[in-house]
Amino acid sequence: MTSSPEGHRSGFACFVGRPNAGKSTLTNALVGTKVAITSSKPQTTRHAIRGIVHRDDAQLVIVDTPGLHRPRTLLGQRLNDIVRETWSEVDVIGLCVPADQKVGPGDRFIAAELTKVAKRTPVIGIVTKTDLVSPDQVGEQLLALQEVMEFAELVPVSAVDGFQVATLTDLLVARLPEGPQLYPGGELTDEPEATLVAELIREAALEGVRDELPHSIAVTIEEMGPREGRDDMLNIYALLYVERSSQKGIVLGHRGERLKHVGSSSRKQIEALLGTKVFLDLHVKVAKDWQRDPKQLRKLGF
C-alpha cells in the first residue's frame, strides 16, 4: 500500500435511483471514461461495476448498482439484494432523480428504503439531466426532492454538459474517511475484463431492440485469449442468451444482419477498452426462461 499524503481520503460511493435516472452516465462523467454501460433501456446494469476517480487528495470508488425496483422474477429479487448489500457497505450514497420527470412513487419507494441507512450513511440528493430543462424547472425539482427525505446535501448536475460534476465529486469526497489509495494510480475499474467485455456486447445487443427484450439478454464470454501467432490480436468467443426462440430471431435480424451489426459495434468498443485488435465470435442461444430458473441464473453469473 503506497503511503498517502496528509489528509488523503478514500472510500466508496454509490448512485441509486429509478431505472434510467442517469446513474451510469454520471459514473462515466465522474471517472472520465466509459466503464459502466449506458443504454436508453432501463435495467441494463447488472454488475456492481466500480469506476475509480483519482485525485491528488482523494480516491473515490463508485459502485454502480442495478436500479432498485419491485421485483417480479427471481432475477429481480437478486438484483434488489445486490442493491441493499451495496448500500450497507459504502461511505456515501447519491439518490439520482432526473430533472425532466416528476418525483414519483418509484423515487419515494427508494427514499423510504434509504431512510433506513441514512443514520449511518450520508445520502446526497442529485437532480440529474439538468440540460434537458430550464433553470426554473431545476429549482422546482430540487424543492420537490427536498420533500422526499432528509438529505445531507442537494445538488443539480448534468453529465452531458459537465454542469456541477466537479462540485458533486467534491461533495462525495468530503464524506469519505481519511485513508490511503485503495487502488493503484492508473486503474479505472476493478471489474475483470471479461465482465466489461460481456457488458459492452450486451449494450450493443440492446440498442434499437424492441422493449420486450432488455431483461431477456445475457452474455457469457466462453473464451478470451491471444490469437495464435499474433500478439496484437485477441480472440473472443461469446454467447448471447435469450429466453425464447422468437427472441433469437429478433437478435439475429434478417439474414443475421442485426447480429453482424451488434458484433461490429461492440468490437469497436472492446478494442477501445482493451487497446488491442479483436476477433469477436458471437453466437445466439436460447436458454428457456433463464430469469426464473436458479440453475440457469447461477450459470449465467447471477
Side-chain angles (χ1 to χ4, degrees), residues 203-278:
E203 174 181 32
L206 285 175
E207 271 324 303
V209 165
R210 291 211 299 279
D211 295 338
E212 69 268 28
L213 276 188
H215 297 277
S216 311
I217 294 180
V219 176
T220 57
I221 304 298
E222 300 300 298
E223 203 186 308
M224 187 163 142
R227 186 154 202 169
E228 218 163 289
R230 287 187 64 173
D231 49 11
D232 64 338
M233 194 163 205
L234 207 58
N235 280 351
I236 298 175
Y237 296 90
L239 288 175
L240 250 164
Y241 287 91
V242 290
E243 293 193 293
R244 296 188 291 282
S245 36
S246 61
Q247 297 173 336
K248 183 175 178 176
I250 295 173
V251 173
L252 284 169
H254 183 57
R255 294 191 174 164
E257 283 305 309
R258 233 197 130 258
L259 188 65
K260 271 194 207 127
H261 177 69
V262 169
S264 64
S265 106
S266 58
R267 197 185 67 244
K268 284 195 198 86
Q269 299 267 13
I270 294 163
E271 290 180 338
L273 174 78
L274 302 178
T276 177
K277 283 203 171 12
V278 165

Side-chain angles (χ1 to χ4, degrees), residues 189-198 224 273:
T189 172
D190 72 348
E191 280 293 310
E193 283 178 348
T195 308
L196 290 170
V197 167
M224 187 163 142
L273 174 78

Side-chain angles (χ1 to χ4, degrees), residues 58-128:
Q59 191 175 60
L60 171 69
V61 183
I62 301 166
V63 187
D64 190 35
T65 61
L68 188 79
H69 60 298
R70 293 189 174 84
R72 286 189 293 278
T73 61
L74 185 60
L75 173 65
Q77 283 165 5
R78 297 231 173 136
L79 291 175
N80 279 355
D81 291 344
I82 296 174
V83 175
R84 290 199 182 84
E85 273 165 38
T86 305
W87 290 2
S88 61
E89 290 162 6
V90 298
D91 301 296
V92 55
I93 298 169
L95 170 59
C96 297
V97 174
D100 63 334
Q101 291 168 33
K102 280 220 169 340
V103 173
D107 303 307
R108 291 191 188 91
F109 171 68
I110 295 169
E113 295 283 323
L114 280 174
T115 305
K116 299 169 193 170
V117 298
K119 287 183 195 65
R120 293 192 312 278
T121 311
V123 180
I124 293 177
I126 305 167
V127 171
T128 59

Side-chain angles (χ1 to χ4, degrees), residues 100-230:
D100 63 334
Q101 291 168 33
K102 280 220 169 340
V103 173
D107 303 307
R108 291 191 188 91
F109 171 68
I110 295 169
E113 295 283 323
L114 280 174
T115 305
K116 299 169 193 170
V117 298
K119 287 183 195 65
R120 293 192 312 278
T121 311
V123 180
I124 293 177
I126 305 167
V127 171
T128 59
K129 308 185 184 185
T130 58
D131 52 290
L132 298 179
V133 300
S134 70
D136 285 353
Q137 281 168 286
V138 173
E140 280 164 30
Q141 192 71 325
L142 285 166
L143 289 172
L145 188 54
Q146 210 172 345
E147 299 299 305
V148 172
M149 66 176 280
E150 279 281 316
F151 290 104
E153 298 273 358
L154 276 170
V155 61
V157 300
S158 165
V160 172
D161 60 20
F163 173 66
Q164 298 228 107
V165 169
T167 306
L168 174 62
T169 309
D170 290 342
L171 291 174
L172 293 167
V173 163
R175 284 170 173 74
L176 301 181
E178 291 201 1
Q181 283 200 0
L182 301 164
Y183 295 88
E187 288 183 30
L188 292 168
T189 172
D190 72 348
E191 280 293 310
E193 283 178 348
T195 308
L196 290 170
V197 167
E199 289 285 86
L200 287 171
I201 294 170
R202 196 159 161 268
E203 174 181 32
L206 285 175
E207 271 324 303
V209 165
R210 291 211 299 279
D211 295 338
E212 69 268 28
L213 276 188
H215 297 277
S216 311
I217 294 180
V219 176
T220 57
I221 304 298
E222 300 300 298
E223 203 186 308
M224 187 163 142
R227 186 154 202 169
E228 218 163 289
R230 287 187 64 173

